[in-house]
Amino acid sequence: MNDTQNEIQQIVKQATPEAQKLIAQVFELERAKLFMSAPMGIVEQILVTVKDVVR
Amino acid sequence: MKLRSLTIQNFRQFYGNQVIRFATDAAKNVTILYGANGSGKTTLLNAFTWCLFNAFTPAFENPNHLINERAWNEAETLEEVIASVRLEFEHEGKVYNVIREHSMQKAKQGEPQLIRDSEARMWHTDETGRQSDVNKLPEDAINQIIPERLHRFFFFDGERIEQLVKPSAYEEIGEAIKTVLGLTIIERAIKHLGGTAKKLEGELRDVSPPDLQLIMDERETLVRLVAEKTSAIRNEDDKGLAAKEEIKAISARLRTLEKAKELQERRDVLESDFEEGRIRIQSIRSELSRKFSRDGHLAFSDSLYSIALQKLETLRERGDLPTPLKRQFVQDLLDRAECICGSELLPDTEKYRHVALWRDRAGNEDVEQVWNRLAAYTAEFVRARDEFYRDLQNRHLDLADVQAAQERRQTEISAIDRELDKRGSEEVRDLGQKRQVLQQQVEESIGQSSVLRQELRDLEERQRDKEKEQQTKEVEGQKAKLSQKRLRIVQEARLVFGRILEIRTEEVRVKLDRRLKDIYRKISFKPYTPELTSDFHLELLKTIGSNDEAVAKGQGENQVLSLAFVGAIADLARERYQESITKEGGLTSFQGGIYPIVMDSPFGSLDLGYQKEVARAIPELAPQVVIFVSKSQGLGVVQAELAPKVGERYVISYSTPKPNVTDETIELDRQVAPYISASGNTYEWAEVKEVPLAKDRN
């Protein structure tokens, strides 16, 4: 792992556990829709994810 | 992505079907097409960008007229006329075809009726030859292979490539960098989390008390003000840039007018010197400011050191501090029982007691060392202070010299303007006056933009404070608490993504900068070093003494710098692709790629020296290179340099309806091909003809 990856990992680790969970899930959502030039409904999906992560 | 062929049908000047097969051999990776000005070189470049992205380059005029005029006029009533471009390429072991079609039907009254409006279809062929459509929108599938944001770095107009070093391109460069590193996913996450936060704010507002609502209102106002200020800055910068461009056009026009030509040429030299002077002043000032922040304290410590030294000296003279005499040395005299003057030192004698007193006054060794060090430090401070003053003085003298030279240039420019006004025609006078007004506008824009930037910084700070206040405000009720927490977590996640984006962008900037330097060194014979600055400006630096200073760049330098940058982007995308084959994507998305470079007139405004260097460097920029050149640009030194690397060669034969045109041909390896000829009717058209290379003829 290089310095940049280390630095990024540290930044993610310093976030609250809920934020860390949200980051990972948002990333997966975005990756799944990446091939679309204008993904529809993704904000609503993130909203559902947030509500699931922070109850 | 490896290009295999391009098939053009009735597209702009190109009548009927034209096929170009590209060089695919790594050792002979260049495909060269020769064509006269206006024969269709820019059209060919745009055939690529239209087919892949439904986009055109800025030099492509009348983009709505895609169908070849002759084909249209020859069509029968109710016949559909199709203009199309088909590109065949390989990517990751598959052969892809993209075809974009635009068609019109000739209605009964001869009116054109749109049938297909630039529609694309994409399919791939597997090893068995079976064809199947890609299972996505063609635009999305292409974007995954070659992101649209990168296309202008791989398909470009060589004469306009120097635009990359203009301020208007900085944003574009920043975007390209993010794309190359595959950061689109993070950018999207930031954008979509912003949308989510907005929705959550709406929910929080519904359940929050009035004081929190007030904070939210204030924050929203600040967000709006920040956006307005940002847009005002952009407008101001655009205004300044537009005025600068107009000034350039006026200067160019003046150079062509007989009465103004000579004066304008002198003015150009002065302006270029003035620009260099401006950069030099900037550099001296920033060096001075660096020096002050690093060594400025020395200027105020003058009396401090003198007072300290004096006090210490007094203490030492009084015997309260040890003399700089070694205690061990005195002890040795006593042990040897012999003084340096030769007297015998026997214990319990007056002489012995006297010398022993010196040993005691020599104090302990630690104190002595500290004293010695202190004295040395003080001397060093005094030396550094003197040097600081000397350096300061020299730089101020330099600054005064440059400023005086600037004054002289300014005076001479004003004198030229007056002379132009007096001596020139009405047009010259008008242009001169217009230039002065524009110059004033440029200066006003610079001043206004700097005021706006300061205001923006203040607003952003207030916005951050308000956000904090909103997040930490105590609320009552389960629902409000939950909403507030959700909003906080979303904003936290957004900040983390923002930080990651910054770190990765900087990482790739550094990598690109390194490659840019390597490639530029190979191409240019000038003693300059390129730099991709932290705010994505492409600069050229010259080392003067121990400092690097920005150079005012001419068109040739700009073009070479931009080409080197394109090469660096292609190189990085390639590296990223190779990495992605061996590793998992991690927090990134785009897997990079191996791209060809297609360029129109890369030698346009270069002098002979640069033409040779650029021709030598071009085959190295990418694994596959396609270039379009005119006879004047592509023969001679360019042809000689490129010859060993050319794998395919074509000529665009252009037929013009102009009467009295003398036919022109082009000779390549003793093969003669038509270059320009009279069409013999009212149409103009172009055809692509292959001129086989020697190996293909044998």
Side-chain angles (χ1 to χ4, degrees):
Chain A
M1 195 180 285
N2 66 25
D3 289 349
T4 312
Q5 284 163 326
N6 263 330
E7 199 180 346
I8 289 174
Q9 211 170 57
Q10 284 309 313
I11 288 168
V12 176
K13 268 189 194 162
Q14 279 162 17
T16 55
E18 285 119 320
Q20 284 187 38
K21 217 166 159 185
L22 182 63
I23 289 166
Q25 295 196 19
V26 167
F27 186 76
E28 283 313 314
L29 271 175
E30 294 288 355
R31 180 142 65 184
K33 298 210 172 195
L34 192 69
F35 68 91
M36 296 179 188
S37 32
M40 301 286 287
I42 194 155
V43 169
E44 280 69 23
Q45 285 186 42
I46 296 178
L47 198 61
V48 172
T49 311
V50 178
K51 289 182 178 175
D52 186 46
V53 170
V54 187
R55 288 163 191 261
Chain B
M1 181 188 213
K2 190 185 268 183
L3 303 173
R4 287 170 66 140
S5 67
L6 184 79
T7 308
I8 307 169
Q9 183 196 5
N10 294 331
F11 182 71
R12 302 276 281 205
Q13 298 99 312
F14 294 94
Y15 175 68
N17 254 341
Q18 315 289 328
V19 182
I20 301 165
R21 281 175 228 294
F22 301 106
T24 50
D25 182 351
K28 286 182 173 287
N29 62 338
V30 177
T31 302
I32 189 164
L33 284 103
Y34 292 89
N37 288 336
S39 67
K41 298 195 295 292
T42 305
T43 301
L44 278 182
L45 173 69
N46 280 277
F48 283 96
T49 58
W50 181 62
C51 178
L52 290 170
F53 305 105
N54 195 13
F56 301 106
T57 62
F60 193 68
E61 288 168 356
N62 300 323
N64 295 325
H65 295 116
L66 297 178
I67 296 177
N68 178 268
E69 199 189 343
R70 180 176 169 188
W72 177 256
N73 284 313
E74 286 175 356
E76 303 287 333
T77 305
L78 295 181
E79 191 180 330
E80 181 185 0
V81 187
I82 303 170
S84 69
V85 175
R86 193 179 92 182
L87 184 66
E88 187 176 77
F89 61 91
E90 288 170 34
H91 180 67
E92 294 184 343
K94 279 184 184 164
V95 176
Y96 288 89
N97 272 273
V98 184
I99 186 164
R100 194 173 290 277
E101 291 182 328
H102 186 82
S103 72
M104 300 264 201
Q105 189 188 42
K106 217 173 190 179
K108 274 188 181 153
Q109 291 76 20
E111 286 298 304
Q113 201 175 339
L114 184 68
I115 307 284
R116 262 170 293 182
D117 188 8
S118 298
E119 288 170 18
R121 189 165 86 81
M122 184 174 180
W123 67 94
H124 57 77
T125 314
D126 64 20
E127 313 79 59
T128 62
R130 197 168 56 94
Q131 289 185 357
S132 41
D133 278 359
V134 291
N135 56 359
K136 293 171 191 156
L137 283 174
E139 284 75 11
D140 287 346
I142 292 165
N143 214 24
Q144 251 192 323
I145 295 170
I146 176 166
E148 190 177 354
R149 286 207 303 204
L150 284 184
H151 90 263
R152 60 204 103 174
F153 296 98
F154 298 120
F155 303 93
F156 59 86
D157 178 347
E159 282 176 4
R160 288 180 181 242
I161 182 76
E162 54 145 346
Q163 301 287 342
L164 275 183
V165 294
K166 305 278 165 67
S168 50
Y170 298 159
E171 204 175 321
E172 196 181 316
I173 291 175
E175 299 291 299
I177 288 174
K178 286 175 197 151
T179 310
V180 169
L181 197 65
L183 296 175
T184 316
I185 207 165
I186 299 175
E187 282 183 288
R188 282 188 177 185
I190 293 169
K191 185 177 154 205
H192 296 142
L193 280 167
T196 313
K198 242 195 175 105
K199 283 193 183 274
L200 284 168
E201 267 172 5
E203 288 184 12
L204 177 61
R205 190 181 285 276
D206 291 343
V207 290
S208 62
D211 53 347
L212 180 56
Q213 283 186 16
L214 187 69
I215 295 171
M216 290 172 84
D217 287 344
E218 285 168 353
R219 195 193 74 86
E220 262 175 32
T221 308
L222 285 166
V223 169
R224 185 173 46 78
L225 289 175
V226 164
E228 282 171 10
K229 202 59 80 183
T230 310
S231 145
I233 291 173
R234 192 167 293 164
N235 285 344
E236 205 53 58
D237 290 350
D238 286 350
K239 237 162 57 184
L241 279 177
K244 273 188 186 168
E245 288 300 314
E246 269 194 77
I247 291 175
K248 260 195 186 164
I250 288 176
S251 301
R253 173 74 187 134
L254 284 167
R255 274 195 296 275
T256 64
L257 298 174
E258 198 47 51
K259 286 185 176 169
K261 193 170 181 282
E262 197 185 319
L263 285 170
Q264 181 55 40
E265 277 170 2
R266 174 68 191 144
R267 200 183 188 283
D268 286 346
V269 173
L270 286 166
E271 281 222 328
S272 160
D273 292 349
F274 192 82
E275 180 59 15
E276 287 230 12
R278 194 187 60 75
I279 293 170
R280 176 97 182 104
I281 288 174
Q282 233 173 30
S283 152
I284 297 176
R285 286 204 172 124
S286 51
E287 190 52 40
L288 274 172
S289 121
R290 266 201 299 276
K291 200 145 188 65
F292 267 116
S293 59
R294 198 181 56 220
D295 303 328
H297 64 280
L298 291 169
F300 305 100
S301 47
D302 186 4
S303 54
L304 197 69
Y305 295 125
S306 313
I307 294 166
L309 262 184
Q310 238 170 31
K311 284 199 166 170
L312 290 168
E313 198 58 40
T314 315
L315 286 172
R316 197 168 59 79
E317 275 169 12
R318 280 212 317 251
D320 294 341
L321 271 182
T323 56
L325 192 64
K326 285 275 183 194
R327 184 186 165 89
Q328 190 56 50
F329 173 68
V330 184
Q331 185 61 49
D332 288 346
L333 297 178
L334 293 171
D335 291 347
R336 274 208 317 268
E338 189 185 348
C339 182
I340 45 171
C341 64
S343 306
E344 203 175 21
L345 298 172
L346 294 171
D348 299 324
T349 62
E350 187 58 25
K351 284 178 181 166
Y352 186 94
R353 274 195 295 275
H354 192 75
V355 174
L357 192 66
W358 274 104
R359 179 195 57 192
D360 298 339
R361 284 173 70 181
N364 79 43
E365 210 168 339
D366 291 344
V367 175
E368 188 177 320
Q369 270 179 10
V370 170
W371 162 247
N372 284 341
R373 265 207 307 271
L374 190 64
Y377 282 150
T378 311
E380 175 56 26
F381 273 121
V382 172
R383 193 199 57 75
R385 190 194 59 214
D386 291 348
E387 197 182 300
F388 172 71
Y389 277 128
R390 233 184 348 265
D391 199 26
L392 222 55
Q393 199 180 15
N394 286 339
R395 280 174 203 275
H396 273 114
L397 285 174
D398 272 359
L399 192 61
D401 280 351
V402 184
Q403 279 169 333
Q406 291 290 82
E407 291 257 335
R408 284 196 299 277
R409 285 171 195 137
Q410 190 70 66
T411 312
E412 203 182 333
I413 288 174
S414 302
I416 289 177
D417 286 347
R418 277 197 301 278
E419 190 60 27
L420 280 170
D421 203 34
K422 207 160 52 179
R423 186 201 298 185
S425 61
E426 199 175 328
E427 186 185 2
V428 172
R429 268 198 299 281
D430 284 352
L431 289 171
Q433 279 162 11
K434 201 170 172 201
R435 180 162 59 189
Q436 278 177 18
V437 174
L438 288 165
Q439 198 64 50
Q440 187 68 28
Q441 273 178 24
V442 170
E443 273 151 36
E444 278 169 16
S445 279
I446 292 171
Q448 186 60 17
S449 173
S450 119
V451 172
L452 288 169
R453 276 172 214 276
Q454 184 53 49
E455 288 172 356
L456 177 66
R457 277 193 288 274
D458 295 345
L459 279 171
E460 282 173 335
E461 200 177 327
R462 281 172 58 201
Q463 186 191 327
R464 275 193 295 275
D465 290 347
K466 205 43 85 181
E467 256 161 18
K468 216 174 267 172
E469 202 183 333
Q470 181 185 311
Q471 283 176 8
T472 51
K473 177 85 189 155
E474 285 281 337
V475 289
E476 282 180 16
Q478 190 62 26
K479 226 171 168 182
K481 277 193 169 123
L482 194 58
S483 281
Q484 194 186 35
K485 190 174 178 192
R486 282 172 178 160
L487 185 57
R488 201 167 52 231
I489 297 298
V490 166
Q491 276 159 348
E492 191 187 346
R494 198 163 177 254
L495 275 178
V496 171
F497 274 120
R499 196 69 200 99
I500 294 171
L501 187 64
E502 267 173 36
I503 294 169
R504 304 293 312 240
T505 305
E506 177 56 14
E507 182 193 28
V508 78
R509 186 197 65 79
V510 170
K511 276 188 180 178
L512 260 181
D513 181 56
R514 213 174 299 138
R515 278 169 172 73
L516 175 71
K517 286 181 167 62
D518 287 347
I519 298 173
Y520 184 86
R521 211 174 296 130
K522 280 187 209 159
I523 308 179
S524 180
F525 48 83
K526 293 271 177 88
Y528 304 148
T529 309
E531 186 170 282
L532 181 63
T533 66
S534 53
D535 37 9
F536 307 127
H537 298 197
L538 274 175
E539 298 280 8
L540 264 190
L541 305 174
K542 183 161 69 175
T543 306
I544 298 175
S546 57
N547 300 321
D548 283 337
E549 290 183 7
V551 183
K553 307 177 282 286
Q555 205 178 355
E557 275 102 39
N558 276 343
Q559 209 172 333
V560 170
L561 181 58
S562 303
L563 275 176
F565 180 70
V566 165
I569 290 252
D571 212 15
L572 201 59
R574 190 161 57 218
E575 182 197 274
R576 187 146 176 72
Y577 178 71
Q578 269 141 10
E579 269 175 12
S580 74
I581 294 171
T582 50
K583 286 185 215 160
E584 275 299 306
L587 267 177
T588 60
S589 49
F590 171 59
Q591 303 293 300
I594 299 176
Y595 300 117
I597 290 182
V598 179
M599 41 192 154
D600 178 14
S601 308
F603 306 100
S605 51
L606 298 175
D607 59 30
L608 270 183
Y610 269 128
Q611 280 187 13
K612 191 174 173 181
E613 302 300 322
V614 169
R616 192 177 299 158
I618 275 178
E620 311 295 326
L621 291 181
Q624 200 183 19
V625 179
V626 181
I627 51 177
F628 311 132
V629 288
S630 65
K631 266 204 306 196
S632 62
Q633 294 168 358
L635 296 180
V637 64
V638 167
Q639 191 185 21
E641 281 299 331
L642 283 177
K645 292 285 186 177
V646 173
E648 293 288 348
R649 188 171 55 185
Y650 294 86
V651 168
I652 304 171
S653 294
Y654 175 64
S655 301
T656 171
K658 266 193 182 172
N660 310 322
V661 167
T662 318
D663 286 358
E664 226 180 282
T665 55
I666 180 169
E667 190 182 328
L668 298 162
D669 295 341
R670 291 191 219 133
Q671 298 172 85
V672 178
Y675 194 60
I676 300 174
S677 51
S679 67
N681 53 35
T682 55
Y683 308 120
E684 69 159 346
W685 76 86
E687 290 169 294
V688 178
K689 292 186 190 306
E690 189 184 353
V691 183
L693 295 158
K695 55 132 183 132
D696 300 324
R697 283 186 284 149
N698 296 336

